[in-house]
């Protein structure tokens, strides 16, 4: 008896379909009530999962959905579901990815704003993440974030372009670095530009930044201060700021060839980051 397993996971937000040209966007459906349901259809002619096995798989999925609902979600490949069901399960587990891109402007650039409904509070008891915005060329697309990534659950977002490069946004509780900050931290309270890059640069590149900082720039915008850095090697542009009770690290990078050919675009992306 063969059983076909269909799994749909739902979370406390509603996807509103938009005409955005991205193969990474999730299935357009409404997901509600923060629960997972499992249905099995059996054929008496073939062999497959028995009821007990189906109930076991259902329990595993429900427990996994609870663990993943407040963090970056792993690919369904980890769960080991083969065949056509893989795409459906993957889409459900990546439900935290809510489209936030605008339509392209006259130059072909789109603005991303972190949706208020997006999951990822980074810890029980933490206030909602203050939204941020940045701009990317039209061919850049959101990339799934895994809890196995360097940086773990503090990586809030990834974007990338096979031609030009990639970016990531790290959102970390400031209390992990200092215990004397109130609920409205500023980057100045965390430290001077040199102090911040020495402390948090390794969070981005995975190694000590000594001798790699090529330039430092301080920008004021709408009452908020941003520290901007350029590092080589590896080639990376970092914009750091703080808001609420979190530190934001916006990181743009590319290979040597991408850096050479598309530095102007990568710099424009890095300079566009703002917390709103």
């Amino acid at each position: 008896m063969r059983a076909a397993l269909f799994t749909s996971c739902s979370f406390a937000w509603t996807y509103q379909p938009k005409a955005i040209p991205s193969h990474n966007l999730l299935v357009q459906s409404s997901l509600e009530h923060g629960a997972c349901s499992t249905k099995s259809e059996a054929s008496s002619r073939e062999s497959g999962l028995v009821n007990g096995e189906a109930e076991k798989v259902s329990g595993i999925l429900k427990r996994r959905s609870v663990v993943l609902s407040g963090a970056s979600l792993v690919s369904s490949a980890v769960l080991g579901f083969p065949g056509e069901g893989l795409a459906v399960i993957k889409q459900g587990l990546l439900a935290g990815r809510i489209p936030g891109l605008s339509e392209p402007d006259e130059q072909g650039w789109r603005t991303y704003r972190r949706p208020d409904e997006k999951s990822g509070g980074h810890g029980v008891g933490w206030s909602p993440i203050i939204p941020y915005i940045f701009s990317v060329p039209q061919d850049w697309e959101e990339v799934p974030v895994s809890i196995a990534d360097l940086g773990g659950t503090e990586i809030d977002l990834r974007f990338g372009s096979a031609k030009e490069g990639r970016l990531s946004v790290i959102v970390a509780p400031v209390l992990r670095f200092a215990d004397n900050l109130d609920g409205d931290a500023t980057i100045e309270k965390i430290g001077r530009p040199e102090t911040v890059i020495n402390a948090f640069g390794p969070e981005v590149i995975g190694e000590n930044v000594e001798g790699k900082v090529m330039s430092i720039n301080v920008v004021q915008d709408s009452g908020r201060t941003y520290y901007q850095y350029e590092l080589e090697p590896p080639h990376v542009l970092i914009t750091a700021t703080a808001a609420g009770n979190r530190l934001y690290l916006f990181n743009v990078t590319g290979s040597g060839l991408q850096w050479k050919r598309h530095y102007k675009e990568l710099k424009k992306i890095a300079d566009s980051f703002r917390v709103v």
Side-chain angles (χ1 to χ4, degrees), residues 18-22 25 98-115 132-142 159 272:
K18 292 180 65 176
I20 299 175
S22 169
L25 296 183
I98 306 176
L101 280 170
S102 69
E103 294 297 324
D105 62 15
E106 294 80 2
Q107 288 76 40
W109 283 65
R110 299 187 293 175
T111 297
Y112 177 89
R113 184 188 189 279
R114 188 187 194 277
Y132 50 78
I133 62 173
F134 59 86
S135 297
V136 289
Q138 186 171 349
D139 65 332
W140 283 60
E141 297 175 338
E142 186 175 353
F159 261 72
S272 72

Side-chain angles (χ1 to χ4, degrees), residues 191-202:
R192 295 174 57 83
E194 296 79 6
T195 302
V196 170
I197 192 60
N198 288 333
F200 306 128

Side-chain angles (χ1 to χ4, degrees), residues 13 68-71 73 95-98 114 117-121 129 156:
W13 55 265
L68 297 180
S69 63
L73 302 176
R97 294 172 57 216
I98 306 176
R114 188 187 194 277
E117 301 85 0
K118 182 178 178 180
S119 60
I129 293 176
D156 190 62

Side-chain angles (χ1 to χ4, degrees), residues 13 29 39 42 47 52 59 67 102 104 148 157-158 174 182 195 214 242 256:
W13 55 265
S29 60
K39 298 180 181 179
S47 61
V67 174
S102 69
L157 182 76
R158 286 191 188 278
V174 294
D182 55 26
T195 302
M214 307 299 293

Side-chain angles (χ1 to χ4, degrees), residues 185-192 196 218 220 223-227 242:
T186 64
I187 195 69
E188 296 96 331
K189 292 180 180 178
I190 294 177
R192 295 174 57 83
V196 170
V218 179
Q220 297 280 343
R224 196 181 306 281
T225 301
Y226 298 83
Y227 294 164

